[in-house]
Amino acid sequence: MARPYWSGRIQISLVSFGVQLYVATEAKSQISFNQISRSTGERVRHQKVLQSAIESSSDGATAAPAVQKDEIVKGYEYKKGEYVIVENSELENLRVPSKHTVDVTQFVSLSELNPEYVEKPYFLVPEADSTEAFAVVRRALQKTGKAAIGTIAFSGREHVFAISAAGDGDRGGMMGYTLRYSSELRNQSDYFRDIKQVEINEESLELAESLIAKRSAKLDLSKFQDGYELAVKELVAAKVNHLPVPKDDELQPARGNVVNLMDALRKSIGGPETTTVGRSSKKPVASATSEPKKGIGLVKPSSKATAKRKSA
C-alpha cells in the first residue's frame, strides 16, 4: 500500500479518532509530450534565470547563467516589485489546526454535496488504535445518509472537507472529498440568464422521460475508455509508419434534414411517428420536409454510412 498522503485525527465534539488519508485516484493516461525543436528534433531544456537579465538584454535573449535550485526560495509580492522571502520551515510551522485535525462542524445530507463543488476523492482508513470509533461513526453516517463537514489543511491551503461512509454493511471504510469554496465557482446566472424560456409540451416531456427510463442503467465506469488517448496513439502510429494521418472530419456526423422533436423522441424509444402535438391538439406537426418550429429542431442522421477512420 502507498504511504498515506495525510495522517491526523477526526474530531466530532468530544469523540476523536486517528485516520490516514490516501489519494483515491491515479493518472492512467499513457500519453505524454516533450517539447522539441522543430528544426533539429532535439529536446528543449528550460532554465530558470533572473528576470532582470531578460529585461536588460537588448535582443530579449538571456545570456545569464541559470539560477541554481538551492538558491531559489518562495517570495510573496506584498506590493508591486517588492517581495518578502518565506522559508519552507516557516510554512511547515504555520499555526493551522486543520493540519493535524479535521474538526467536524456539521453534518449534511449526501444529496447536498452538489457535484460542481466536489474536487478530489480520498480514502480514509483508521489508525490501529481507532478502529472502534471509526466503525461506529462510519455506520452512523451510513444509516443516516449524512456526510460530515470540516476543514483540512495540506498542499499549501486549507480545504473544506466532506466525509462519508463507503462500502457495504460492516465492511468498508470512509471517503473524504475536498470541496471547492463557493467563491471558486463562477456565477451560473452569468451563463444561464440568456437562455430563452420555451413552453414545454407535456407529451414531449413524457416521451423524454420515457427515453430516460429506457436508457437508464447502473453506472459502470469500467465500460468507458479515454478516446482522446486512443486517437493520439492512432495518430502517432500513422506518422511513424508513414500512413495517412486520420482527420476529425472523417468522424463528423453528416448534417441531414431537420425533423420534428416529437418524432425524434418517438423514434428514440421505438414508437411510431406522431401525427398530433399534445393529447387534445389536432394541429398537424411539422414533417421532415416542412419548416420546423423554431427551437425544437433536431438533426436527422444521413442514411449514408459515416466514413470509418482509417486504421493505423
Side-chain angles (χ1 to χ4, degrees), residues 25 49 61 112 117 121 123 147 163 165 205 220 222 283 304:
T25 59
V49 298
E112 293 183 60
Y117 285 107
F123 296 132
I163 302 169
L205 180 59
D220 182 4
S222 66
K283 297 179 181 180
K304 185 183 294 184

Side-chain angles (χ1 to χ4, degrees), residues 210-226:
S210 298
L211 176 58
I212 291 172
K214 182 179 180 180
R215 294 293 183 91
S216 293
K218 187 175 181 179
L219 179 62
D220 182 4
L221 291 176
S222 66
K223 294 181 179 179
F224 295 84
Q225 56 183 337
D226 187 348

Side-chain angles (χ1 to χ4, degrees), residues 14-308:
L14 299 180
V15 178
S16 175
F17 53 94
V19 297
Q20 294 179 332
L21 194 72
Y22 295 88
V23 176
T25 59
E26 58 183 349
K28 287 292 187 179
S29 176
Q30 300 177 13
I31 298 298
S32 61
F33 294 101
N34 295 304
Q35 291 185 319
I36 63 172
S37 167
R38 182 185 294 275
S39 59
T40 66
E42 294 182 273
R43 287 276 301 271
V44 175
R45 179 181 177 183
H46 294 272
Q47 290 184 320
K48 295 183 178 180
V49 298
L50 295 175
Q51 179 69 26
S52 59
I54 299 176
E55 294 174 350
S56 62
S57 176
S58 58
D59 59 357
T62 172
V67 178
Q68 298 303 309
K69 186 176 180 179
D70 58 1
E71 295 181 11
I72 300 175
V73 295
K74 292 181 174 67
Y76 183 85
E77 188 176 23
Y78 62 94
K79 70 178 183 179
K80 187 66 174 178
E82 298 291 334
Y83 300 89
V84 59
I85 292 177
V86 179
E87 303 290 350
N88 288 332
S89 59
E90 294 173 322
L91 292 174
E92 292 171 1
N93 291 318
L94 284 176
R95 297 179 60 182
V96 183
S98 58
K99 286 198 304 180
H100 310 289
T101 301
V102 177
D103 188 7
V104 174
T105 56
Q106 70 177 105
F107 296 89
V108 301
S109 296
L110 290 173
S111 60
E112 293 183 60
L113 296 180
N114 295 333
E116 59 264 33
Y117 285 107
V118 177
E119 193 170 43
K120 191 171 183 178
Y122 296 86
F123 296 132
L124 268 71
V125 300
E127 297 279 7
D129 60 350
S130 297
T131 53
E132 181 181 3
F134 182 93
V136 170
V137 171
R138 175 187 172 275
R139 176 57 70 87
L141 292 174
Q142 190 178 51
K143 292 188 69 173
T144 59
K146 299 286 187 178
I149 303 295
T151 56
I152 187 171
F154 55 71
S155 299
R157 67 176 306 190
E158 187 175 59
H159 309 263
V160 182
F161 200 58
I163 302 169
S164 66
D168 299 319
D170 294 327
R171 299 189 64 83
M174 289 196 276
M175 295 295 299
Y177 302 93
T178 51
L179 305 179
R180 296 181 177 90
Y181 290 95
S182 60
S183 60
E184 294 179 310
L185 194 67
R186 291 174 177 170
N187 189 347
Q188 59 178 266
S189 64
D190 292 340
Y191 300 85
F192 298 160
R193 63 189 173 199
D194 293 330
I195 298 177
K196 294 182 179 179
Q197 297 298 307
V198 297
E199 183 178 351
I200 296 180
N201 179 278
E202 287 300 321
E203 188 171 355
S204 294
L205 180 59
E206 290 178 9
L207 289 170
E209 291 171 351
S210 298
L211 176 58
I212 291 172
K214 182 179 180 180
R215 294 293 183 91
S216 293
K218 187 175 181 179
L219 179 62
D220 182 4
L221 291 176
S222 66
K223 294 181 179 179
F224 295 84
Q225 56 183 337
D226 187 348
Y228 186 88
E229 180 178 332
L230 294 176
V232 171
K233 288 182 177 179
E234 186 179 14
L235 167 66
V236 171
K239 294 176 75 69
V240 169
N241 294 287
H242 307 289
L243 296 173
V245 174
K247 296 182 179 179
D248 184 53
D249 56 10
E250 294 175 2
L251 294 179
Q252 288 289 337
R255 300 184 65 87
N257 295 328
V258 176
V259 299
N260 176 266
L261 174 62
M262 190 85 74
D263 286 343
L265 288 168
R266 286 189 182 278
K267 289 179 181 179
S268 296
I269 59 176
E273 294 185 24
T274 182
T275 56
T276 60
V277 177
R279 291 175 179 169
S280 60
S281 173
K282 300 298 181 182
K283 297 179 181 180
V285 300
S287 67
T289 56
S290 63
E291 184 67 23
K293 194 172 183 180
K294 187 175 182 181
I296 62 171
L298 293 182
V299 174
K300 182 178 181 181
S302 170
S303 59
K304 185 183 294 184
T306 303
K308 292 184 178 180

